[in-house]
Amino acid sequence: VFVPVGQPLLSAGHIGDGIRSVFRDRMISLPDAATDWISFAAGIASAGKIVVAAAGRLDVVDEMRFVAAHVNNNITICSVPRESAADIASSEDLAIARTLPHAEVFAPADVEETDQILDHCVTRHVLSVVRLSGSLTRDSSPAVFNGACRFSPGLWPRLKEGNDVGLLACGSETACALRASEILSSQNVAASVWNASSINPADHSAV
């Protein structure tokens, strides 16, 4: 069951089109002012349904913590910012999500990885939080993997080899890190780039 809250950016672009095509007649839209949307989603999940909810911000922390404690609830929350608050909201939402017990937290680098992460989340009987950058909901978002994505939770793939410095990034900043490594390369600085899209579980060995 797909539960969009208000009008997050997930309603447009490749990802939104894909979700709508999958769920079709299993969408229950809630108004932006619905502060109890997470409880609503939890009620559906408790009936054995797989729930994907899309909201602009993770601003119902106490309710989310209560839901996260029930590990058999299969709920995936796609946190999608409004354009005007995307940069500020991203770090705060990830920090909030990391405090939720039992929750898996991901920040995909591009549309290809987003598809694989969502496929992973809907098979899990835990609360999953997927933090989507605003650019990922638009068809013009930069591709990082170009068909080579092999997502695995708890692993940070190295996208570029280098022995001088290391760059760790997640979300849309991964494409920025790759561009930065090219600039460094032009200055004879070899930078490694890791895609740290799996926030929890994290790849401690990579660090």
Side-chain angles (χ1 to χ4, degrees):
V1 179
F2 180 45
V3 183
V5 182
Q7 295 295 324
L9 294 179
L10 194 64
S11 61
H14 167 83
I15 297 174
D17 291 342
I19 287 180
R20 284 194 299 275
S21 68
V22 170
F23 287 93
R24 289 193 179 92
D25 58 345
R26 292 170 291 157
M27 291 179 58
I28 304 175
S29 298
L30 297 179
D32 201 26
T35 57
D36 59 346
W37 61 268
I38 186 63
S39 299
F40 180 81
I44 298 175
S46 66
K49 303 296 184 182
I50 297 173
V51 179
V52 177
R57 291 295 311 278
L58 301 183
D59 52 3
V60 285
V61 183
D62 291 337
E63 293 87 343
M64 288 176 62
R65 191 167 285 118
F66 174 79
V67 170
H70 294 75
V71 295
N72 289 325
N73 279 350
N74 192 333
I75 303 175
T76 298
I77 299 173
C78 295
S79 173
V80 190
R82 275 41 173 192
E83 285 282 6
S84 59
D87 293 337
I88 298 174
S90 181
S91 297
E92 182 177 328
D93 280 354
L94 286 176
I96 291 172
R98 283 281 290 119
T99 68
L100 300 173
H102 311 297
E104 294 187 337
V105 184
F106 307 106
D110 65 2
V111 170
E112 182 182 348
E113 188 176 37
T114 300
D115 288 342
Q116 294 188 21
I117 286 177
L118 289 176
D119 285 343
H120 163 79
C121 290
V122 297
T123 65
R124 303 281 293 163
H125 292 284
V126 296
L127 176 66
S128 301
V129 178
V130 182
R131 187 59 170 81
L132 299 177
S133 304
S135 63
L136 293 182
T137 64
R138 298 189 295 270
D139 294 330
S140 59
S141 62
V144 171
F145 292 99
N146 296 305
C149 181
R150 299 293 183 272
F151 170 75
S152 182
L155 294 178
W156 295 351
R158 186 183 302 198
L159 305 181
K160 188 174 181 181
E161 297 281 350
N163 297 321
D164 295 325
V165 296
L167 305 176
L168 277 71
C170 66
S172 60
E173 295 303 311
T174 304
C176 296
L178 287 170
R179 289 197 297 271
S181 71
E182 296 297 332
I183 295 173
L184 290 171
S185 179
S186 68
Q187 301 174 5
N188 297 318
V189 177
S192 289
V193 179
W194 282 270
N195 174 36
S197 61
S198 183
I199 309 298
N200 189 31
D203 189 346
H204 299 287
S205 61
V207 177

